[in-house]
Amino acid sequence: MMEDFRTNLVLHSTLRPNGDVELSIDQEDMPPPAEDEIIVRMQAAPVNPTDLFLLCALADPATAQRVERDGATKTVLRAADWAANALSSRWDKPMAVGSEGAGRVVAAGLGKAAQALIGRTVALWGAGSYARYCKVRTADAMLLPDDVSAAEGASAFINPMTVLSMIETMRREGFTALVHTAAASSLGQMLGRLCRKDGIGLVNIVRSPQQVELLRSAGAEHVCDSSSASFDEDLQDAVRVTGARLGFDATGGGTLASRILAVMERVEMEGKGNRQYGSTGKKKIYVYGKLDADPLHLLGNYGLSWGVGGWLVYNFIEEAGKDVAERLKARIATEIKTTFATRYGKTIDLEELCDPAMIAYVSRMTTGGKCLIDMSR
């Protein structure tokens, strides 16, 4: 008997023009699936930095409180005027929160690929995974092996696809090694495992001695602490050894990206004397996150052969095409318990995520503190 999915419960974040950010779990109708769509009864979903951005809309987590509003209990945060204005396209529009997760397919469109997934456990990515049911295209789902649970597969998309796509980008652009910031994060540790497995040089940048020890104990060879007085020298040594000239920066603010480019340039110029316009070796930093709220500062001390740009895994997959996406998904499914495994510091339910204390906890994004939402509770 087909499960009745027509009434759904969804976590929404709504930004008001006055700067209030309202979090509410709302009932809404679920339309039937189109030919190439499936409906998934969600069982598990992670809390990623991208989810926090949508959830809090740049509001200060410390302002969160539970209030009675419009006949319901809601969590309300307060965003600064600049943040509310910067996100004015969101005003008064309930945004479904959650970017990935896993669960059981309970309904499907008439397409052959969709029908084949009925009753199976899949991972998915798409807006609105913090819900009882989530509807996605079959192209945005991944069939999990029979021995992989929904909890194990909940983070099978964003971080694994991101690290694999970083390697794809590196190879397409003619680079051979990488520099990565925020390297002690779940994604950073996953990238480290992937690079070690595939024999790719990786320079890990972290922000504390404790994170240095964490990565080295896991097998990382080149780890540089940005809080250390010897950071630039340590980074220069690692860049020289690995040959890394491409960086992926999750901080997106301050001078870190600029310092990485400057170090790459110094290595390029070793033994080449004085050149007015710097080296001819190409150097590039892709910014893919915004952990640092400060503006990005580029100091210009790295010659004229360089590039800085934005990078997003969704855009890469769309440009790379279906064949590449399917190849990457196949590898993830094979290594979901090893290379692409994710460990969580807490397991919570959806109501708990709306608790002001929990919002403060997840917003700190501490190493080892990643949360999994058990959607079956």
Side-chain angles (χ1 to χ4, degrees), residues 148 151-157 159-160 163 185-191 193-194 331-344 370:
V148 175
E152 292 172 318
S155 294
F157 258 108
N159 283 358
V163 297
S185 65
S186 292
L187 186 147
Q189 294 183 58
M190 188 178 293
L191 179 62
R193 293 194 295 272
L194 177 62
R331 179 168 184 184
I332 293 168
T334 301
E335 301 176 43
I336 192 62
K337 291 190 175 187
T338 53
T339 310
F340 306 112
T342 298
R343 296 168 180 83
Y344 302 96
K370 191 179 185 73

Coordinates of all heavy atoms in Angstrom, one line a residue, residues 148 151-157 159-160 163 185-191 193-194 331-344 370:
V148 N 24.1 0.0 3.7 CA 24.3 1.4 4.1 C 23.0 1.9 4.6 O 22.0 2.0 3.9 CB 24.9 2.3 3.0 CG1 25.0 3.7 3.4 CG2 26.2 1.8 2.5
A151 N 21.3 6.9 8.0 CA 22.2 7.8 8.8 C 23.6 7.8 8.1 O 24.3 8.8 8.1 CB 22.3 7.3 10.2
E152 N 24.1 6.6 7.7 CA 25.4 6.6 7.0 C 25.4 7.3 5.7 O 26.5 7.8 5.3 CB 25.8 5.1 6.9 CG 26.1 4.4 8.2 CD 26.3 2.9 8.0 OE1 25.6 2.3 7.2 OE2 27.3 2.3 8.6
G153 N 24.3 7.3 5.0 CA 24.2 7.9 3.7 C 23.7 9.4 3.7 O 23.6 10.0 2.6
A154 N 23.4 9.9 4.9 CA 22.8 11.2 4.9 C 23.6 12.3 4.4 O 23.2 13.3 3.8 CB 22.4 11.6 6.4
S155 N 25.0 12.2 4.5 CA 25.9 13.2 4.0 C 26.6 12.7 2.8 O 27.8 13.1 2.5 CB 26.9 13.6 5.1 OG 26.3 14.2 6.2
A156 N 26.0 11.9 2.0 CA 26.6 11.3 0.9 C 26.8 12.2 -0.3 O 27.5 11.8 -1.3 CB 25.9 10.0 0.4
F157 N 26.1 13.3 -0.3 CA 26.2 14.2 -1.5 C 27.1 15.4 -1.4 O 28.1 15.4 -2.1 CB 24.8 14.7 -1.8 CG 24.1 13.9 -3.0 CD1 23.1 13.0 -2.7 CD2 24.6 14.1 -4.3 CE1 22.5 12.3 -3.8 CE2 24.0 13.4 -5.3 CZ 23.0 12.5 -5.1
N159 N 29.4 17.0 0.8 CA 30.8 17.0 1.0 C 31.6 16.0 0.0 O 32.6 16.4 -0.5 CB 31.1 16.6 2.5 CG 30.9 17.8 3.4 OD1 30.6 18.9 3.0 ND2 31.1 17.5 4.7
P160 N 31.1 14.8 -0.2 CA 31.7 13.9 -1.1 C 31.8 14.4 -2.5 O 32.8 14.4 -3.2 CB 30.9 12.6 -1.0 CG 30.3 12.6 0.3 CD 30.0 14.0 0.6
V163 N 34.4 17.4 -2.6 CA 35.9 17.0 -2.7 C 36.2 16.3 -4.0 O 37.3 16.6 -4.6 CB 36.3 16.1 -1.5 CG1 36.1 16.9 -0.2 CG2 35.5 14.8 -1.4
S185 N 37.8 20.6 9.1 CA 36.4 20.4 9.0 C 36.1 19.0 8.5 O 37.0 18.3 8.1 CB 35.8 21.4 8.0 OG 36.3 21.2 6.7
S186 N 34.8 18.6 8.6 CA 34.4 17.3 8.0 C 34.8 17.2 6.6 O 35.3 16.2 6.1 CB 32.9 17.1 8.2 OG 32.5 17.0 9.6
L187 N 34.6 18.2 5.8 CA 34.9 18.2 4.4 C 36.4 18.2 4.2 O 36.9 17.4 3.4 CB 34.4 19.5 3.7 CG 34.5 19.5 2.2 CD1 33.3 20.3 1.5 CD2 35.8 20.3 1.8
G188 N 37.2 18.9 5.1 CA 38.6 19.0 5.0 C 39.2 17.6 5.3 O 40.2 17.2 4.6
Q189 N 38.7 16.9 6.3 CA 39.2 15.6 6.6 C 38.9 14.6 5.5 O 39.7 13.7 5.2 CB 38.7 15.2 7.9 CG 39.2 16.0 9.1 CD 38.7 15.5 10.5 OE1 38.9 14.4 10.8 NE2 38.0 16.4 11.2
M190 N 37.7 14.8 4.9 CA 37.4 13.9 3.8 C 38.3 14.1 2.6 O 38.7 13.2 1.9 CB 35.9 14.1 3.4 CG 35.3 13.2 2.4 SD 33.6 13.5 2.1 CE 32.8 13.1 3.6
L191 N 38.6 15.4 2.3 CA 39.5 15.7 1.2 C 40.9 15.1 1.5 O 41.5 14.6 0.5 CB 39.6 17.2 1.0 CG 40.5 17.7 -0.1 CD1 40.1 17.2 -1.5 CD2 40.6 19.2 -0.1
R193 N 41.5 12.3 3.2 CA 41.5 10.9 2.9 C 41.5 10.6 1.4 O 42.2 9.7 1.0 CB 40.2 10.3 3.6 CG 40.2 10.3 5.1 CD 39.2 9.4 5.7 NE 37.8 9.8 5.3 CZ 37.1 10.7 6.1 NH1 37.6 11.3 7.2 NH2 35.9 11.0 5.7
L194 N 40.8 11.4 0.7 CA 40.7 11.2 -0.8 C 42.1 11.4 -1.4 O 42.5 10.6 -2.3 CB 39.7 12.2 -1.4 CG 39.5 12.1 -2.9 CD1 39.1 10.8 -3.4 CD2 38.5 13.2 -3.4
R331 N 31.4 6.3 -7.4 CA 32.5 6.2 -6.5 C 32.1 6.4 -5.0 O 32.5 5.7 -4.1 CB 33.6 7.1 -6.9 CG 34.8 7.0 -5.9 CD 36.1 7.6 -6.3 NE 37.1 7.3 -5.4 CZ 38.3 7.8 -5.4 NH1 38.7 8.6 -6.4 NH2 39.2 7.5 -4.5
I332 N 31.2 7.4 -4.8 CA 30.8 7.7 -3.5 C 30.1 6.5 -2.9 O 30.3 6.1 -1.7 CB 29.8 8.9 -3.5 CG1 30.6 10.2 -3.9 CG2 29.2 9.1 -2.1 CD1 29.7 11.4 -4.2
A333 N 29.2 5.9 -3.7 CA 28.4 4.7 -3.2 C 29.3 3.6 -2.8 O 29.1 2.9 -1.8 CB 27.4 4.3 -4.2
T334 N 30.4 3.4 -3.5 CA 31.4 2.3 -3.2 C 32.2 2.6 -2.0 O 32.5 1.7 -1.2 CB 32.3 2.2 -4.4 OG1 31.6 1.9 -5.6 CG2 33.3 1.1 -4.2
E335 N 32.5 3.9 -1.7 CA 33.4 4.2 -0.6 C 32.7 5.0 0.5 O 33.3 5.7 1.3 CB 34.6 5.0 -1.1 CG 35.4 4.2 -2.1 CD 36.5 5.1 -2.7 OE1 37.2 5.8 -2.0 OE2 36.7 5.0 -4.0
I336 N 31.4 4.9 0.6 CA 30.6 5.7 1.6 C 31.0 5.4 3.0 O 30.9 6.2 3.9 CB 29.1 5.6 1.4 CG1 28.3 6.6 2.1 CG2 28.6 4.2 1.7 CD1 28.6 8.0 1.7
K337 N 31.5 4.2 3.3 CA 31.8 3.8 4.7 C 33.3 4.0 5.0 O 33.7 3.8 6.1 CB 31.5 2.4 5.0 CG 29.9 2.1 5.0 CD 29.7 0.7 5.5 CE 28.2 0.5 5.7 NZ 27.9 -0.8 6.4
T338 N 34.1 4.5 4.0 CA 35.5 4.6 4.2 C 35.9 6.1 3.8 O 35.9 6.9 4.7 CB 36.3 3.6 3.3 OG1 35.8 3.7 1.9 CG2 36.0 2.2 3.8
T339 N 36.3 6.3 2.6 CA 36.8 7.6 2.2 C 35.8 8.7 2.4 O 36.2 9.8 2.9 CB 37.1 7.6 0.6 OG1 37.9 6.5 0.3 CG2 37.8 8.9 0.2
F340 N 34.5 8.4 2.2 CA 33.5 9.5 2.3 C 32.6 9.4 3.5 O 31.5 9.9 3.6 CB 32.7 9.5 1.0 CG 33.5 9.6 -0.2 CD1 33.6 8.5 -1.1 CD2 34.2 10.7 -0.5 CE1 34.4 8.6 -2.3 CE2 35.0 10.9 -1.6 CZ 35.1 9.8 -2.5
A341 N 33.1 8.7 4.5 CA 32.3 8.5 5.8 C 32.3 9.9 6.5 O 33.3 10.6 6.5 CB 32.9 7.4 6.7
T342 N 31.2 10.1 7.2 CA 31.0 11.3 8.0 C 30.7 10.9 9.4 O 29.8 10.1 9.7 CB 29.9 12.2 7.5 OG1 30.2 12.6 6.1 CG2 29.7 13.4 8.3
R343 N 31.4 11.6 10.4 CA 31.1 11.3 11.8 C 30.4 12.5 12.4 O 30.7 13.7 12.1 CB 32.5 11.0 12.5 CG 33.1 9.7 12.0 CD 34.6 9.6 12.5 NE 35.2 8.4 11.9 CZ 35.7 8.2 10.7 NH1 35.7 9.3 9.9 NH2 36.2 7.1 10.3
Y344 N 29.6 12.2 13.4 CA 28.7 13.3 14.0 C 29.0 13.4 15.5 O 29.2 12.4 16.1 CB 27.3 13.0 13.7 CG 26.9 12.9 12.2 CD1 26.8 11.7 11.6 CD2 26.7 14.0 11.5 CE1 26.5 11.6 10.3 CE2 26.4 13.9 10.1 CZ 26.3 12.7 9.5 OH 26.0 12.6 8.2
K370 N 29.7 18.3 14.3 CA 28.7 18.2 13.3 C 27.5 17.4 13.8 O 27.6 16.4 14.5 CB 29.2 17.5 12.0 CG 28.3 17.6 10.8 CD 29.0 16.9 9.6 CE 28.2 17.1 8.3 NZ 28.3 18.5 7.8

